[in-house]
Amino acid sequence: MSSSALLIDALKRQLKQRGITYAMLARQIDMSEASVKRLFAERSFSLARLEQVLGVLGMDFVELAHAAADAPQLITQLTYAQEEELIGDIRLLVVAVAALNEVPLERIVATYRITEAEAVQCLLRLDRIGFLVLKPNNRVKLLVARTFGWIPDGPIQNWFRREAYGDYLDAHFDGQGELLRLVSVMLSPASSRALLERLRQVADEFARQHQDDARLPYEERHAVTFLLAARPWMPRAFKELLR
């Protein structure tokens, strides 16, 4: 993670620790709430604006730098063996995904055929492998970075490929909250690199939005799964016509 990203993440933690919402911050620095959200989403702080926010927090830049340096080291990926452990126990995988989405324990138990004792055991296993910290009253603190992802072609992705691809794509994608776009273009290598970088930025943007919305009540959030993919590809039927 870049130094600027570490600083902005530290800034967000300081706001959260003090109970300062984006709306409250916006009023104190004379901006709209939407503009403040965009500042954090795009990390587009000018030095003057950063000093304003630090003034609201009662901090200086040195203190912010120390807060960023003291942040726990978050994991961006599990090991191959850890992913295999998750995939070997569907209840453990369900609890892990629920934890990633900050679903409270009682909701996991109410939604799935998983008892509270089983869910707690799963959380303890996730604590052991460094995925999260299980705190008193079964509260959870994630230890995964915003950029966390499953191993490419690893156990989780292979499981998804086997179990979910057909089911996920077996839809018309014309309902509320659904969208499917299939775009086939011819690009230069430079444009291809730019496209891939933009897709990574989109994924990061929604990861940040997920973190922002995590403070909302569970009832105001719903699960959304989106798939970003790009690679040189030609349908098999096309290939059969090649000379």
Side-chain angles (χ1 to χ4, degrees):
M1 187 180 294
S2 68
S3 297
S4 61
L6 289 172
L7 288 173
I8 300 306
D9 286 349
L11 199 62
K12 292 172 70 173
R13 287 194 300 272
Q14 294 300 317
L15 289 169
K16 187 174 182 179
Q17 289 173 11
R18 290 164 171 76
I20 300 175
T21 65
Y22 285 158
M24 295 163 62
L25 177 63
R27 288 193 294 271
Q28 295 192 59
I29 62 176
D30 196 27
M31 293 181 68
S32 68
E33 183 179 358
S35 295
V36 168
K37 287 183 176 180
R38 188 162 54 251
L39 269 180
F40 280 92
E42 298 177 355
R43 296 173 178 169
S44 55
F45 282 81
S46 66
L47 184 58
R49 188 66 74 185
L50 179 59
E51 288 178 341
Q52 278 188 306
V53 178
L54 288 173
V56 173
L57 290 167
M59 299 177 67
D60 59 27
F61 190 82
V62 173
E63 290 172 316
L64 178 64
H66 286 161
D70 292 340
Q73 294 301 307
L74 303 179
I75 60 173
T76 59
Q77 206 168 68
L78 296 178
T79 66
Y80 197 93
Q82 289 168 340
E83 283 202 5
E84 284 191 320
E85 182 177 353
L86 261 63
I87 212 65
D89 185 340
I90 193 62
R91 285 181 170 80
L92 182 62
L93 180 60
V94 166
V95 173
V97 173
L100 272 176
N101 286 289
E102 304 195 36
V103 178
L105 178 70
E106 60 271 16
R107 288 290 182 174
I108 297 174
V109 174
T111 303
Y112 300 100
R113 292 195 304 274
I114 300 175
T115 67
E116 181 174 341
E118 289 172 332
V120 170
Q121 283 301 312
C122 289
L123 291 172
L124 286 170
R125 289 172 66 184
L126 294 170
D127 184 300
R128 176 176 55 80
I129 67 176
F131 190 80
L132 53 78
V133 174
L134 183 58
K135 304 177 79 172
N137 299 318
N138 294 324
R139 293 181 297 111
V140 166
K141 178 181 180 180
L142 284 171
L143 295 179
V144 298
R146 176 182 51 77
T147 54
F148 176 82
W150 305 114
I151 300 171
D153 202 34
I156 300 295
Q157 283 200 2
N158 283 327
W159 175 85
F160 184 80
R161 186 177 296 117
R162 292 193 308 269
E163 303 292 333
Y165 274 13
D167 181 56
Y168 179 75
L169 294 173
D170 186 21
H172 296 294
F173 287 91
D174 57 358
Q176 183 176 2
E178 296 183 342
L179 173 67
L180 175 64
R181 292 284 304 277
L182 178 61
V183 182
S184 181
V185 295
M186 299 186 72
L187 299 174
S188 68
S191 294
S192 294
R193 289 192 295 271
L195 170 64
L196 294 178
E197 180 57 31
R198 176 57 183 149
L199 292 179
R200 293 187 188 99
Q201 291 173 2
V202 169
D204 288 348
E205 180 181 341
F206 278 92
R208 288 192 293 270
Q209 190 63 57
H210 162 71
Q211 289 181 327
D212 291 342
D213 287 354
R215 64 170 63 92
L216 297 174
Y218 176 82
E219 295 77 10
E220 295 182 20
R221 298 182 290 140
H222 64 276
V224 176
T225 297
F226 68 96
L227 176 67
L228 295 177
R231 72 178 181 94
W233 178 75
M234 179 183 291
R236 186 174 303 169
F238 289 19
K239 289 183 179 179
E240 292 174 354
L241 290 176
L242 291 174
R243 295 186 184 277

